[in-house]
Every structure is written in C-alpha cells, then in structure tokens.
Amino acid sequence: MKFEGTADYVAPADLQLAVNAAITLQRPLLVKGEPGTGKTLLAEQLAQALDTRLITWHIKSTTKAHQGLYEYDAVSRLRDSQLGVDKVHDIANYIKKGKLWEAFDAQERVVLLIDEIDKADIEFPNDLLQELDRMEFYVYETGETVRARHRPIIIITSNNEKELPDAFLRRCFFHYIAFPDRDTLKRIVDVHFPSISQTLVNEALEIFFDIRQVPGLKKKPSTSELVDWLKLLMADDVGEAVLHERDPRKAIPPLAGALVKNEQDVQLLERLAFMTRRNGYR
C-alpha cells in the first residue's frame, strides 16, 4: 500500500514520495521542518492510512537511548528482597519495556514515532545505531536477545535544534517539509473547515503571509497556528470585511495571539505600525 495522505492530512507529492521510499528501503524517515508543519501528525496519519498501531516515543532533554529499549528497576528489586516478596526471584519482573521493545514485540507491523530527537544529548542518535540497523538488542539482566517480529516503520522528527551525527544520518531517508504554499494551505484549511468562506480564507492568508514576511520576526506563525486563528475568527464571527478593511497602521490583526507568540514579535509589529503611521502623516 502506498501512502497518499488521508482525508485529514494533506500530504504534498514530495512528502508522499519520501514516505514510500523510506518504507521501500526499510530505513527510518528523518523529517525536518518548521514547528507546526505537521511532522508529528504525519506519523499519526500514516498509521491511520496503513490501519496499524502508532507507538510514540517523545524525546526530552533528559531522555537516554537505553530507555527506549528497557529499564531495570534495581531499587524495587532490592526493596522486595528485603520484604521477602516472591517475585524477587525472577529478574524479568523488574524489567520495564521501552518503546522500541514494544514496537519490536508487536504482532503486526507498527509505526514507531521518535519525536523531536534533537532535544536529546548529541550522543543519543549514535546510541541507537545498532538497534535501528539490526532490529535487535540484548538484555543483559535476563540474557535474552529481543528481535523485531516485524520491522516497524520508523518516523523520526527534528526541529533542527542541534546537528545530528553523520553516522546516524547515513542510515536515514531524509525529507525536509517545506512551508506550504498558498494553494496547499487552502487545501489544509478546507480539510479542517469544509464550509469556511473562501473570501475569509483569502483575506486571512494575505495577513498571515504578510506577518511571516516581516524581517526580524523571532517566530514565524505556522500552519497549525493559522488553523487556530481561523477557528477563532469563525467563532467570534470576525468576517472577511473586518480583515479586508483593517487599517494597515494598526499594530496587529484581530485575535493575533494565535499567530504572534512572544513579546519581541509584538513589539516589532508595533514598531512597524508606528513607522507606517509616521510616514503616513508626512
């Protein structure tokens, strides 16, 4: 089965090609792109399209690679031994399976999402090389080797917070999700709001792209933030006329808290509005 997007997820042709290529090569798909461009959602929709289970491993700055394999709870075992608990004689009772073990042990082929891998330590990706290559790992405490019943489809996302090691990159199929163009954004909006006024969408997109093009903006609004903004505009019955007739000398558009997410960018837009007003008075 080829991935072609879903009813709820607009996948451009190049993204479809990348997903299907990674599946064919049986390599992890490393997906980069601006926050809010649908990297995490891709894994969810891929699992839906393939009618299989999604296993998600959310990476934090403190996450270690071995946690994806398993964790041995030696403290609990020591406590139970002091209390004379019967299960203490079987060390397997104190092994907690990680997300990779869960994916390897699945009865069907699953989608494994390793989300925001660049949040972890720089050595984190290298520590997973062998497991992702061989689809197996050794459990020292029990002496068993865990092998994947079915090779999972692995989606790895990164926000480019740090560079990933070359050895890791060589083992991945890479795709960068470019920011959607106007037509693609319209299709995405139509998926979320099938009955929305196209005039409202057009006016909102004009403002949205104007904000994104402001030089020096610390955080450009993303696709997900556009969807949130449109939802608010519809809920508050802000019509296209309000957006169309918006005074360009005003600082920011209505309900812009859905688009502009820090005080530096608010201040930047206010300064630009001030300059516009001053030039208008001359």
Side-chain angles (χ1 to χ4, degrees):
M1 178 180 177
K2 296 290 186 181
F3 177 67
E4 298 177 346
T6 68
D8 300 321
Y9 187 83
V10 177
D14 59 339
L15 179 57
Q16 296 178 32
L17 189 65
V19 171
N20 293 317
I23 294 174
T24 299
L25 293 173
Q26 296 188 332
R27 290 187 178 274
L29 174 62
L30 174 61
V31 184
K32 292 187 178 184
E34 289 184 29
T37 50
K39 301 185 295 296
T40 300
L41 188 59
L42 169 64
E44 298 172 4
Q45 295 301 312
L46 176 59
Q48 178 181 317
L50 300 180
D51 192 24
T52 191
R53 185 158 56 103
L54 172 67
I55 297 174
T56 303
W57 185 13
H58 294 293
I59 307 303
K60 301 178 181 179
S61 59
T62 56
T63 303
K64 302 299 180 184
H66 70 83
Q67 294 173 316
L69 308 179
Y70 68 93
E71 293 183 88
Y72 169 49
D73 192 349
V75 174
S76 292
R77 192 182 187 205
L78 175 61
R79 184 181 63 246
D80 288 348
S81 68
Q82 293 170 340
L83 297 174
V85 179
D86 287 341
K87 71 174 187 178
V88 74
H89 301 292
D90 186 356
I91 197 172
N93 291 323
Y94 302 92
I95 301 291
K96 179 183 178 182
K97 296 180 180 180
K99 296 298 184 179
L100 262 70
W101 191 333
E102 185 181 346
F104 286 4
D105 207 34
Q107 297 295 326
E108 74 282 2
R109 191 182 196 187
V110 300
V111 175
L112 172 63
L113 169 62
I114 303 178
D115 200 25
E116 298 189 329
I117 194 171
D118 53 324
K119 282 188 175 180
D121 183 84
I122 189 62
E123 290 303 320
F124 178 90
N126 281 337
D127 291 341
L128 290 176
L129 289 180
Q130 180 171 320
E131 289 76 15
L132 295 181
D133 257 356
R134 300 184 180 180
M135 286 287 130
E136 66 178 38
F137 61 89
Y138 185 72
V139 182
Y140 293 94
E141 289 78 5
T142 62
E144 66 177 311
T145 298
V146 176
R147 294 185 177 87
R149 298 173 186 267
H150 306 278
R151 179 180 285 268
I153 300 170
I154 301 174
I155 306 293
I156 302 173
T157 70
S158 169
N159 287 327
N160 254 348
E161 291 185 9
K162 61 171 66 78
E163 290 295 324
L164 299 175
D166 289 345
F168 178 79
L169 294 175
R170 283 199 303 271
R171 290 164 169 82
C172 297
F173 189 92
F174 172 77
H175 182 73
Y176 182 85
I177 298 182
F179 193 81
D181 59 21
R182 188 178 297 263
D183 289 340
T184 303
L185 277 178
K186 283 186 177 182
R187 291 169 57 201
I188 293 172
V189 170
D190 287 342
V191 165
H192 288 274
F193 311 112
S195 60
I196 193 171
S197 162
Q198 291 303 306
T199 306
L200 175 62
V201 173
N202 289 334
E203 295 294 344
L205 285 177
E206 286 293 330
I207 295 173
F208 177 77
F209 279 109
D210 283 348
I211 293 176
R212 279 187 57 87
Q213 292 168 5
V214 170
L217 206 64
K218 184 175 181 181
K219 184 193 178 305
K220 296 180 180 180
S222 68
T223 306
S224 62
E225 288 158 344
L226 170 65
V227 171
D228 288 344
W229 185 46
L230 285 169
K231 184 176 181 179
L232 288 174
L233 292 176
M234 295 171 67
D236 285 14
D237 200 23
V238 178
E240 53 265 22
V242 175
L243 300 183
H244 180 71
E245 296 171 2
R246 183 175 67 90
D247 188 343
R249 296 173 298 176
K250 292 182 179 179
I252 52 179
L255 300 169
L259 299 175
V260 185
K261 296 301 180 71
N262 61 68
E263 63 276 15
Q264 295 97 318
D265 288 345
V266 171
Q267 292 167 2
L268 173 61
L269 292 176
E270 288 174 342
R271 286 197 300 271
L272 291 175
F274 172 77
M275 295 298 296
T276 300
R277 288 195 299 269
R278 190 176 67 174
N279 292 334
Y281 294 149
R282 291 179 179 175

